[in-house]
Amino acid sequence: MDFLKGAKEFARNPLGIIALFISLIYGFASLLLDSAAEKLTVAERWPLILFIVVFPIMVLVTFYKLVTKHHGKLYAPGDFQDDKSFLRTLSPEEQEVRLEKEVKESFGQVKSGQDNAFVTAKQGDADRSDQEDRERRKEEHRRFKEELEKIETSVIDSIAAEYGVKAERNVGIDGTDANFDAFLQANEGRFTFIEVKMLRSPGPAMMMLDRLLYNAVVADKFFESRFKLVLAVVYSFEDSELERVERFWRRKLSNCPANIELRFIPKSEVEIA
């Protein structure tokens, strides 16, 4: 009975299951050798002896690879008293790279042909020097980056206040490539994250969506389907275009196994300090 209770505790996470499996195999081999040693011939004893000697070495090598390469997969969420044990704050360099990537995705979306504001401005400057054109684009890039940071802060604060908890900004899930704008632990038994995206035009933004869905799938698998993502899309185009854009985004998200709550917010309603 005590063994069954112990086995139940072991089976709560991948590490326990591995330990239980190893203990059973090694225990049976030792028991067999001990109880039947006198009845076995020398040729029959040698395989058991070799197994008992070599098996621990194989286990040691295997555990070394697991711990050094896949340590994040050895534990279940219930093993951690603090849910934030799964999280790591992105370094300033990682945050900068992430923000730059989002800015480029937004500008790339505009260049795809859906919103001609940027392209028209570029064509209008055709008579200027290349240096002036680069400076203008660089300044526009900088202003949009600052605006995006302020929008993300405002939207995250608003959603955190709605949930009644404090948001932790720029977080990644330890042992994976998944990272998000913010994390908040709600009272739903889920690990809730926030991601804010900026749409300057009603274009598809495929690159933006693909990266987002990849992160969501990785996180959902890591948290054993207890993951939730609040995706806030701030748009600056006409409301008449919203229905088509929202239909496209929801169709893409419907194919994702992760729990994603999609919200579209007009830029005019975002309070920027």
Side-chain angles (χ1 to χ4, degrees), residues 82-268:
D82 184 2
D83 293 334
K84 292 184 180 180
S85 299
F86 287 105
L87 305 178
R88 67 179 183 89
T89 301
L90 301 181
S91 67
E93 292 77 14
E94 289 176 313
Q95 294 179 31
E96 182 67 20
V97 169
R98 192 172 191 274
L99 184 61
E100 282 290 339
K101 187 177 295 184
E102 292 188 1
V103 171
K104 288 179 180 179
E105 287 174 350
S106 295
F107 270 88
Q109 177 203 16
V110 172
K111 290 178 183 179
S112 65
Q114 297 299 325
D115 183 359
N116 292 324
F118 181 74
V119 178
T120 302
K122 183 176 179 181
Q123 292 174 344
D125 292 338
D127 57 337
R128 300 181 182 180
S129 67
D130 291 341
Q131 179 63 27
E132 291 176 337
D133 187 54
R134 284 195 298 268
E135 289 297 327
R136 178 188 57 76
R137 283 183 285 144
K138 184 178 179 180
E139 178 62 20
E140 183 177 1
H141 182 99
R142 184 191 63 78
R143 288 199 304 268
F144 178 74
K145 182 179 177 180
E146 292 178 352
E147 182 184 42
L148 180 60
E149 287 184 291
K150 293 178 181 179
I151 287 175
E152 286 183 354
T153 299
S154 177
V155 173
I156 289 171
D157 290 345
S158 176
I159 296 175
E162 176 186 329
Y163 276 77
V165 295
K166 185 179 179 180
E168 184 173 345
R169 294 293 307 274
N170 297 308
V171 296
I173 300 175
D174 195 25
T176 74
D177 296 328
N179 51 69
F180 301 93
D181 289 327
F183 166 79
L184 54 91
Q185 179 61 59
N187 297 321
E188 303 176 358
R190 290 184 178 276
F191 298 89
T192 307
F193 293 80
I194 303 173
E195 184 72 15
V196 181
K197 295 297 182 185
M198 179 70 181
L199 286 184
R200 304 177 72 205
S201 80
M206 289 299 297
M207 185 168 61
M208 182 187 296
L209 263 175
D210 289 342
R211 184 164 63 87
L212 170 67
L213 294 180
Y214 169 78
N215 284 342
V217 170
V218 170
D220 187 63
K221 184 177 180 180
F222 184 89
F223 289 115
E224 300 177 343
S225 299
R226 295 169 59 198
F227 165 82
K228 178 180 179 180
L229 177 64
V230 179
L231 173 57
V233 181
V234 180
Y235 64 94
S236 56
F237 48 84
E238 297 295 329
D239 288 340
S240 58
E241 300 280 359
L242 179 60
E243 183 179 355
R244 176 173 62 84
V245 175
E246 185 173 1
R247 186 168 58 249
F248 172 81
W249 278 66
R250 292 194 182 281
R251 184 170 68 251
K252 288 287 292 184
L253 296 183
S254 66
N255 297 322
C256 179
N259 181 5
I260 302 178
E261 177 187 335
L262 179 62
R263 304 183 182 187
F264 279 90
I265 306 172
K267 181 183 174 183
S268 59

